[in-house]
Amino acid sequence: MLLVEMKKMPRNKSCSGLLIQKSLRLVSEVFGAEPPCEVQCAPTDNHGMIFINEDGREFRFEQLGLNIWRHSFDHWLAQLAAGAGAEVQDSTAALACNEQNGTVTVEMSFAGKKYTEQAAAVIVCEGAGSGIKRKLLGSTKDYIHTYQTFNRGRVNLDPHFFYAFLQREFSEHDAWANVKDENLIFGVAATSPNRLAPYYHTFTDFLTRQYGLQIEETHRDEHWIMPHIRPGCPVDYGCGRVLFAGEAAGFLNPMGEGISSGIESGRAAASVVLDLLGKQIAPQELLAAYERRVAPTRDYMVRQWRFTSQISYSFMDMI
């Protein structure tokens, strides 16, 4: 098995970096290990999420989780995969997949040189901006742009909780606040990157008025993307012998929680491939088997978005 990563690892991944109980259970089940101290950050224990809707009503969901940095967490998972026998190759881009005669040819690029790899099946986990997915399906770019900053300062929010503000004057998705290693992190999202700066300033002005925010220094910022969840939560399972998992498939839970669905859908795709490897099976049967195996992940996603639509009218069009 070959695991390919575009960037040199450990690499950055813009993410809240919160492992909810479901994610912790999946890490234990799939990898047979617990996240080590070196991937964690302070405060180590996350106590849950607090949603604030358009009416200023607070919904507190308490659940003990773990606060981690994604660059070190993802690197640790890749090392576990290597220890289990996978070949891990970073700084390598997968450019395209072409299927012919029951085999997938993957066009690759490493150090400026192009070459190909042959595979019985491919699992694409390259996120919301997946170029392979767009080439295979002929789809257009459809995602939400995100922007978050890392700051030194003070704010009257509990550092053990992840805060999601659902008011549409702050963001087209949610605006968020959390703490990692004394970094105050604030973020917003929009369908157009041109709207991010106005949303961000409106949001931080609100935090200044309502929660006593004082920013002493902004030392880092990040632009990223995440899937644009459509009504009914449609998911793209793949094309032929190429399966999509995680955000590449369109899996994402409310408030940008994607770690649990990423692990769960990746496991479902891998288990289907392993079960059917070496058997004479049509591509449509492989896709159908994957869709059945990953159905609980999508059902969970639908339930989460439906619940969010019940506490916030800004999200009523999601289901």
Side-chain angles (χ1 to χ4, degrees):
M1 183 179 70
L2 175 63
L3 175 62
V4 175
E5 164 60 43
M6 180 184 294
K7 302 292 185 180
K8 176 68 177 177
M9 297 193 76
R11 52 91 179 103
N12 184 48
K13 168 70 168 73
S14 185
C15 178
S16 65
L18 299 180
L19 297 180
I20 62 175
Q21 281 292 313
K22 184 178 181 181
S23 297
L24 289 170
R25 174 178 55 79
L26 285 167
V27 169
S28 179
E29 289 178 1
V30 176
F31 297 95
E34 305 299 326
C37 294
E38 55 264 29
V39 313
Q40 302 174 26
C41 55
T44 301
D45 54 323
N46 172 259
H47 294 176
M49 296 185 178
I50 296 176
F51 295 1
I52 297 92
N53 72 1
E54 301 85 350
D55 300 322
R57 185 179 174 187
E58 183 179 293
F59 297 83
R60 181 181 294 253
F61 303 99
E62 297 190 14
Q63 181 189 91
L64 192 61
L66 194 63
N67 199 4
I68 53 97
W69 286 110
R70 277 297 298 271
H71 67 280
S72 53
F73 176 71
D74 291 357
H75 190 210
W76 172 68
L77 293 181
Q79 291 174 317
L80 290 178
E87 178 184 350
V88 179
Q89 187 169 321
D90 62 6
S91 303
T92 303
L95 305 176
C97 292
N98 300 287
E99 183 179 341
Q100 189 174 16
N101 300 323
T103 301
V104 182
T105 300
V106 186
E107 298 178 22
M108 315 282 279
S109 176
F110 174 75
K113 297 181 180 180
K114 293 184 179 180
Y115 66 101
T116 61
E117 293 277 3
Q118 305 296 318
V122 174
I123 302 172
V124 175
C125 310
E126 56 181 350
S130 173
I132 290 177
K133 175 182 174 179
R134 291 201 307 274
K135 290 174 183 177
L136 287 174
L137 301 185
S139 55
T140 59
K141 296 180 180 180
D142 183 26
Y143 40 69
I144 299 290
H145 296 266
T146 65
Y147 175 70
Q148 67 177 7
T149 63
F150 294 73
N151 310 273
R152 302 295 183 188
R154 296 180 295 278
V155 67
N156 296 324
L157 296 172
D158 188 334
H160 292 276
F161 282 87
F162 178 89
Y163 287 80
F165 297 83
L166 309 182
Q167 299 93 320
R168 282 299 164 91
E169 63 263 34
F170 303 149
S171 176
E172 290 180 41
H173 193 270
D174 70 307
W176 60 89
N178 64 312
V179 176
K180 304 179 85 65
D181 285 342
E182 299 184 351
N183 291 277
L184 305 181
I185 302 174
F186 308 115
V188 297
T191 53
S192 169
N194 296 328
R195 300 175 185 167
L196 292 171
Y199 278 132
Y200 178 80
H201 291 303
T202 301
F203 179 47
T204 52
D205 286 347
F206 165 79
L207 293 176
T208 299
R209 295 191 310 270
Q210 298 295 322
Y211 296 94
L213 171 62
Q214 296 181 42
I215 295 179
E216 299 169 358
E217 176 194 15
T218 299
H219 58 90
R220 176 180 156 200
D221 64 1
E222 296 177 338
H223 289 83
W224 212 261
I225 57 174
M226 61 184 179
H228 190 174
I229 306 303
R230 297 295 185 175
C233 300
V235 171
D236 295 310
Y237 296 99
C239 179
R241 299 180 189 278
V242 180
L243 305 181
F244 306 144
E247 292 185 13
F251 287 111
L252 188 70
N253 301 315
M255 310 313 112
E257 195 286 306
I259 295 176
S260 64
S261 55
I263 297 175
E264 201 165 41
S265 60
R267 176 177 64 173
S271 64
V272 166
V273 170
L274 289 174
D275 287 347
L276 302 178
L277 202 61
K279 299 180 180 178
Q280 296 297 320
I281 181 170
Q284 58 268 30
E285 294 180 71
L286 180 68
L287 285 172
Y290 174 47
E291 184 174 350
R292 290 192 298 271
R293 193 75 57 90
V294 82
T297 304
R298 185 178 175 276
D299 291 343
Y300 176 85
M301 173 180 166
V302 171
R303 291 197 305 272
Q304 293 295 304
W305 282 107
R306 182 176 292 122
F307 174 76
T308 304
S309 71
Q310 293 171 352
I311 66 174
S312 168
Y313 49 77
S314 295
F315 289 84
M316 289 181 63
D317 60 347
M318 300 300 295
I319 300 298

